[in-house]
Amino acid sequence: MTATEPLDSQQCMRLIQSRLTLRTSNALSRAILDLVGSGELPTQSQLPTVRDLAVELGMSKSAIAQAWSSLSARSVIETRRRGGTVVLGPPQPPRARRFDSMVRTSSTMPIDLGNLLAGQLPPPDLAPALAYAISNSALHNAFAEPATPELIAAVQPHWPFPVDRFLATHGIIDALELALTSIARPGDRVIIESPSQARVLDILESIGASAIPVDYGHDGPDLEQLRLALISKPSAMIYQPNGNVPSGRSVNDAWIEAAATLLGDEAFPIIEVSQTPLMRSPQRSLTAHLPDRVVHMQGYNFFFGADLRVAVTGGAAEYIDLMWMRLTYSSRWVSRILQLALAYQLTDADAVRHTDQFIAECRRRHAEFSAALTDIGFVLTPTDGPHIWLPVPDEHSVCTRLSRYGVVVHPGSFFEARSGRQHHVHINGTALPNGMQAMARMIARACHLPLKPIEEAAAPGDGDRRR
């Protein structure tokens, strides 16, 4: 037998037994990673069953299943139906597969309704903000700081509760990745609401952590499911109290009170994410109840454009300092020019006036699009936008049919940690300036909903494709 020939399950068992020093899921994952990396466990080797391993190693089946889940997430092993678990090879470099798919499907389509972009709304004039930033006396100071005093002062009116520790990052996803890699380890469990931001799932997969999904209801993440999720001893919780992406839902005050009571005796950090904070006032948060555990994040690039991609994180000093210490290992800290420009956009009277007009137009578009879909027969949960979480018969078929018209929406599976749920598509309700009724009819046709014949202008990209 050569070194490249696959091993059978008994050979794999003996090899794993010879290398495993601790009987834990993390130690088992590490041992197999080392064996695969060295070539001692070749590709297509047949691993023992979970039950056989549990008996031979003296471990629980749940601990072995956790190790298998971690290794599967890194594409080291694969469990095949009726084919057992086999070795695929060394771990592949982490790839944000949901984000990659979103970019790939959107880049060639004329109409992007899937991504949270500002569409045809007029962008702000950043020239005054940049002029203000480059005139600052602290510019070119070689020693970074977590956040400039000007930015801290600018965001405090938008913060749900007073805190004294802030950190600027390159957008909300950068903040999430920084927080999770500071807190979570391979094999850890992290509570997330479902649906959740697609990038959260990508980040957890890259770490090798497992998501524990909790359904997001009308008032917030389901409290009974959250209570059960606590049994698994999570290392963190991530949720969106103000405008969940992709559903647009928000928690209410009663949920905050009940969740604070439920989570009060736990020790893990709670990460709150708000991607469109300027559209929701006041911001709700668990900060007042759990100030030593809550990290609250706000992003602003939806309002000010992709090139002013700055988010601010504030809250529990322990975790803010942990994130900052990781930043000091690199040059990843945010330029003072960007921080000061954002501070200007949040405080200058003319800039604030433009933002208010922007938000008003977003709400108009979202309300009109939602009404057009509801009038046709879709059932929507009322929200303030900008998201529309549309229930559909089959999300993949709907996405495929709409793509033939040059329209991109994203399937709900991008935002779910588990399969088998009701099918949805995500729509940016602010993407279109007009033509919402025609677009709603196009979406209805993609869902095979019956339509009343009416006279209407073709939706953008609809051309002559009519029934």
Side-chain angles (χ1 to χ4, degrees), residues 170-190:
H170 291 287
I172 203 85
I173 303 305
D174 187 47
L176 272 168
E177 193 273 341
L178 183 62
L180 284 172
T181 53
S182 301
I183 295 166
R185 298 291 180 267
D188 281 359
R189 295 178 173 92
V190 177

Side-chain angles (χ1 to χ4, degrees), residues 47 55 82 91-92 101 118 125 128 154 156 162 214 245 306 347-349 406 410 433 443 451 460:
L47 292 170
V55 171
R82 299 191 181 92
Q92 299 299 308
S101 183
D125 179 9
Q156 280 178 328
V214 172
V245 178
T347 55
D348 176 77
H410 291 318
I443 294 169
L451 291 174

Side-chain angles (χ1 to χ4, degrees), residues 288-304:
H289 301 276
L290 306 169
D292 295 331
R293 291 172 47 209
V294 175
V295 175
H296 185 83
M297 301 176 175
Q298 296 189 10
Y300 304 95
N301 57 285
F302 174 69
F303 306 98
F304 306 129

Side-chain angles (χ1 to χ4, degrees), residues 152-302:
I152 292 172
V155 301
Q156 280 178 328
H158 304 284
W159 226 253
F161 291 95
V163 296
D164 58 7
R165 195 75 101 245
F166 289 93
L167 173 67
T169 61
H170 291 287
I172 203 85
I173 303 305
D174 187 47
L176 272 168
E177 193 273 341
L178 183 62
L180 284 172
T181 53
S182 301
I183 295 166
R185 298 291 180 267
D188 281 359
R189 295 178 173 92
V190 177
I191 295 174
I192 66 169
E193 87 266 76
S194 183
S196 184
Q197 291 198 40
R199 302 295 296 279
V200 170
L201 297 169
D202 282 339
I203 294 168
L204 290 176
E205 285 183 2
S206 74
I207 295 171
S210 301
I212 309 173
V214 172
D215 289 338
Y216 206 116
H218 293 289
D219 302 329
D222 184 273
L223 293 171
E224 177 59 21
Q225 291 184 31
L226 179 57
R227 184 187 67 79
L228 294 174
L230 298 177
I231 299 172
S232 65
K233 303 299 180 184
S235 61
M237 171 177 166
I238 308 168
Y239 81 112
Q240 301 171 83
N242 308 286
N244 165 273
V245 178
S247 73
R249 295 174 179 172
S250 299
V251 304
N252 58 23
D253 292 333
W255 186 91
I256 289 289
E257 295 292 332
T261 300
L262 180 61
L263 297 167
D265 294 332
E266 304 295 329
F268 56 79
I270 299 168
I271 302 171
E272 298 179 336
V273 181
S274 186
Q275 193 152 332
T276 52
L278 303 182
M279 293 185 72
R280 292 168 177 83
S281 181
Q283 293 277 292
R284 290 187 172 90
S285 172
L286 287 163
T287 308
H289 301 276
L290 306 169
D292 295 331
R293 291 172 47 209
V294 175
V295 175
H296 185 83
M297 301 176 175
Q298 296 189 10
Y300 304 95
N301 57 285
F302 174 69

